[in-house]
Each structure stands twice: as structure tokens, then as C-alpha cells.
Amino acid sequence: MEYLSTKLNNQRMLDFINKPEYGFTEENKKWAQEAFNRLEKEPGKFVNLSENIVTINKYDSMYAYPRNIGIIINERNGSTDEQFLLAAKQSKKVKLFGTTTAGVLDVSNMYYVPSPCNEFQLGYTLSRSMRIPDFTIDGKGLQPDFYLDRSIPAYDWTDHVSTVLNGK
């Protein structure tokens, strides 16, 4: 993802360092300070805080079990849930069951600022995904591999998924 560098947006990195409610470790604070310094050098631009556009994780072992993994999804899955689902779908073992997710992932990293009267807060996003425009999620959501229509009551979804995965 890329962060839009503005004075207000970059303040969030300093908040990570200075506000105890974020619970940042010293290592996290060091990252936030480096990110702040990098953002401050590029005002008005989107900045990639990572060295890479794509990250590939290779694991030493692939376990035989579980053989099949079903994750039940619906319109209430959004944001970080959708990021988890995108990562999970990289495994051949994982299948999504249910209905389309919320579709709220392409812009992220919420930040909240108080209004001048302190009666309201403005929540807005600081970053955009580098998947855009080739693989957008916003407004569409993630599609299930196995759509569960209304003929299957929600309380039966778990049993249905187990039957599909285990062939029982």
C-alpha cells in the first residue's frame, strides 16, 4: 500500500510513537519514526513505505493436515477481514463459503481527527492498495468459491461446509 503524505496524515506516525494507547514497542516506534521521516520528504505524494510492491512468503514445510479449510464469509467481512481472506486464498487448501464480502479494502488505515468543537470526529483513510486498478475489492467484495444461497439457513452453514469439505 501507499500512504498519502500530508502534514495531518503523517501526524499519525508521531501518534504511534507518543500516545501510549497504541501500545507500540520500541521496535514499532522506530518503524513509525522512519516512516514519518520518509513521508515528510514526499509531501503531496503517495509513498510506499515498504521496499517491495509484492511480498512473497515461502514456508519450509507444508503439513498434510488440515487437507481442506473452509472459511465462511458474508457481507459483514470487511477491511482487515478481507486482507486476511486474500492471504488465506493463496493456499490451495482454502475455499471460501458464503456470500460476497463488504468490499472495503482498497483504501485503508483509518485515522480520526477531532472537529474544532470536539463534538465530532472525522474518520478517513490514509492509504491505498497497490492492487488498484488491476484487482479492486471496494464496491465488489470478495466472491466465495462456494456460494451459499438462501435455501441454506445461516444456522446450517457450518454443517453444510463440513459436508462439502469432508464428503459426508
Side-chain angles (χ1 to χ4, degrees):
M1 73 185 77
E2 298 173 300
Y3 289 83
L4 180 59
S5 176
T6 69
K7 183 176 177 68
L8 182 60
N9 291 357
N10 300 350
Q11 178 62 42
R12 187 181 95 157
M13 296 301 177
L14 296 179
D15 289 348
F16 285 155
I17 297 166
N18 298 318
K19 291 186 176 181
E21 60 264 30
Y22 285 107
F24 265 41
T25 64
E26 288 306 312
E27 183 179 339
N28 293 139
K29 288 179 181 181
K30 181 180 175 195
W31 171 85
Q33 183 64 57
E34 290 170 1
F36 175 80
N37 295 343
R38 193 163 177 188
L39 288 163
E40 285 290 294
K41 292 178 186 174
E42 302 281 345
K45 296 180 181 175
F46 279 96
V47 179
N48 178 4
L49 296 179
S50 174
E51 298 297 318
N52 304 307
I53 293 174
V54 175
T55 302
I56 298 173
N57 296 320
K58 292 186 179 187
Y59 297 97
D60 296 333
S61 303
M62 179 169 305
Y63 299 101
Y65 295 98
R67 285 194 182 139
N68 299 305
I69 300 165
I71 301 175
I72 297 174
I73 63 172
N74 63 27
E75 68 282 351
R76 291 187 183 109
N77 296 106
S79 192
T80 303
D81 284 350
E82 288 172 311
Q83 187 61 50
F84 164 76
L85 295 168
L86 281 175
K89 281 182 63 72
Q90 299 303 304
S91 171
K92 294 185 284 188
K93 295 179 174 191
V94 174
K95 296 294 180 201
L96 304 182
F97 291 79
T99 60
T100 306
T101 64
V104 291
L105 180 61
D106 296 337
V107 292
S108 58
N109 286 290
M110 291 294 294
Y111 188 50
Y112 298 89
V113 292
S115 65
C117 65
N118 279 322
E119 289 189 35
F120 306 98
Q121 282 192 339
L122 169 67
Y124 69 100
T125 59
L126 302 175
S127 63
R128 69 178 179 192
S129 171
M130 295 178 80
R131 288 179 284 96
I132 300 171
D134 301 321
F135 185 37
T136 57
I137 305 299
D138 285 9
K140 296 187 281 189
L142 294 172
Q143 305 300 311
D145 298 300
F146 294 87
Y147 175 67
L148 301 181
D149 65 37
R150 292 184 182 150
S151 69
I152 305 168
Y155 60 82
D156 280 338
W157 281 18
T158 304
D159 289 338
H160 180 81
V161 169
S162 180
T163 300
V164 171
L165 291 176
N166 299 313
K168 293 180 181 175

